[in-house]
Amino acid sequence: MAPREGNPAPPTSRLTGAARVYGVLGHPVTHSLSPAMHNAAFAALGLDAVYVPFPVQPEELPQAVAGLKAAGVCGFNLTVPHKTAILPLLADMLPEARTVGAVNTVRCDEMRLIGANTDGIGFLLSLAQDLDFSPKDASVLMLGAGGAARAIAFALLGAGTRRLWIANRTPGKAQSLAADCLTRFPGAEVRGWPLQPAALAGMEPDLVVQTTTVGMGAPGNRESPLALASLGVRQAVIDIVYHPLETAILAEARSLGLRTANGIGMLLYQGAEAFRFWTEREPPVDTMREALIQALAARP
Ligand code: ATR
């Protein structure tokens, strides 16, 4: 009988010689929670498959990818700093990845590497599942203009967000991302701002999306990129940080009576959609969420 969703992962010694191999390429990669999440999913569905971390230095990416391909690896994720460097090594890309210009998931189809970006859909699924928030026609303030913000901006606009304000410490990067968004979505209202309370006061967005690295780290980190009180947020705040589980900005949002979600959801759903892309099976999201939470709790 196949193990039920929620059962603990079987030992990897149950793998056979026909096991399918997946992994994540990053630098650093030791803190990745993806091995725990995907191995739990393989176990829950009784698949003869394994997911392993591959620490790959930036300059070694082409050799590493050629090696994985030659060795019959079936697919892999990419994390910092490889999400754009992988592009010239691919045979093809799905439309979302092409739009964003970054790839977090690769499937090896008979020696052809196909790139996908599941970060955007992962974010949208988290908005729906964790916040019950519809981005259609919404006004959104996004803090940050880095790689994660880029995938989120295109996903929001693709889902019908009408007004997107991008606020960043380096305002030129917010303006440049806003310009890229407008090229693809000319009907939307998109603008870059400095990440300063005086510039953003009274904006009254429906949703705030926090993508900067400011609140990351130990649970004692009380740094917030922006005080929410003067913004007049209408509904909800989502932070893509998941360590700590409640950042200072989420704690403030909760105290203001707003709906809140942390970054576990985006991490989970981007992983679930990568799993679907590789296996063409329904991802066991409850098992994957549980594995993520356990792996996070076990972190020093
Ligand atoms: P990611 O891929 O996770 O988005 P990134 O591309 O390095 O990471 O982007 C990090 C984001 O956090 C950027 O928006 C960065 O702002 P700058 O463009 O001004 O660098 C933001 N960030 C990092 N440290 C910050 C700080 N101390 N205060 C405000 N924003 C900060």
Side-chain angles (χ1 to χ4, degrees), residues 80 144-149 168-170 173 195 211-214 223 225 240:
V80 175
N168 198 46
R169 175 178 63 178
T170 313
K173 280 170 70 179
L195 182 42
T211 76
T212 77
T213 49
V214 174
E223 275 184 80
I240 68 163

Side-chain angles (χ1 to χ4, degrees), residues 31-255:
H31 281 77
S32 175
L33 301 172
S34 294
M37 171 167 62
H38 284 289
N39 286 319
F42 291 144
L45 298 189
L47 301 180
D48 187 13
V50 65
Y51 185 107
V52 289
F54 295 111
V56 176
Q57 300 272 356
E59 62 277 15
E60 302 289 347
L61 185 69
Q63 295 93 310
V65 167
L68 294 177
K69 202 165 115 176
V73 165
C74 299
F76 49 87
N77 287 127
L78 297 138
T79 184
V80 175
H82 302 312
K83 287 186 182 186
T84 52
I86 188 73
L87 265 55
L89 307 174
L90 302 172
D92 203 358
M93 264 191 279
L94 299 193
E96 296 80 8
R98 203 178 294 283
T99 301
V100 176
V103 159
N104 76 328
T105 304
V106 170
R107 190 175 67 201
C108 309
D109 286 352
E110 315 258 327
M111 298 294 277
R112 288 183 84 242
L113 302 184
I114 313 297
N117 192 318
T118 65
D119 287 332
I121 180 72
F123 176 78
L124 293 179
L125 285 168
S126 178
L127 275 192
Q129 300 292 324
D130 303 331
L131 278 180
D132 193 22
F133 183 90
S134 168
K136 182 144 176 46
D137 295 326
S139 295
V140 178
L141 169 63
M142 182 169 70
L143 313 181
R150 191 174 173 82
I152 290 170
F154 283 108
L156 283 169
L157 293 167
T161 289
R162 190 162 44 87
R163 191 179 294 154
L164 178 63
W165 296 296
I166 305 169
N168 198 46
R169 175 178 63 178
T170 313
K173 280 170 70 179
Q175 281 148 11
S176 157
L177 176 55
D180 288 353
C181 289
L182 283 170
T183 306
R184 179 78 176 75
F185 297 95
E189 198 184 309
V190 190
R191 217 181 127 178
W193 295 87
L195 182 42
Q196 286 164 8
L200 308 171
M203 267 190 162
E204 301 190 345
D206 298 310
L207 173 75
V208 172
V209 182
Q210 196 311 105
T211 76
T212 77
T213 49
V214 174
M216 260 165 76
N221 182 359
R222 302 319 296 160
E223 275 184 80
S224 173
L226 185 71
L228 295 172
S230 66
L231 284 180
V233 184
R234 291 179 195 269
Q235 294 188 43
V237 177
I238 185 166
D239 195 331
I240 68 163
V241 170
Y242 50 82
H243 188 66
L245 287 172
E246 187 177 69
T247 54
I249 197 170
L250 284 189
E252 188 192 0
R254 190 164 49 83
S255 77

Side-chain angles (χ1 to χ4, degrees), residues 6-24:
N7 282 3
T12 46
S13 58
R14 285 195 201 162
L15 293 170
T16 74
R20 297 171 72 80
V21 179
Y22 299 87
V24 53

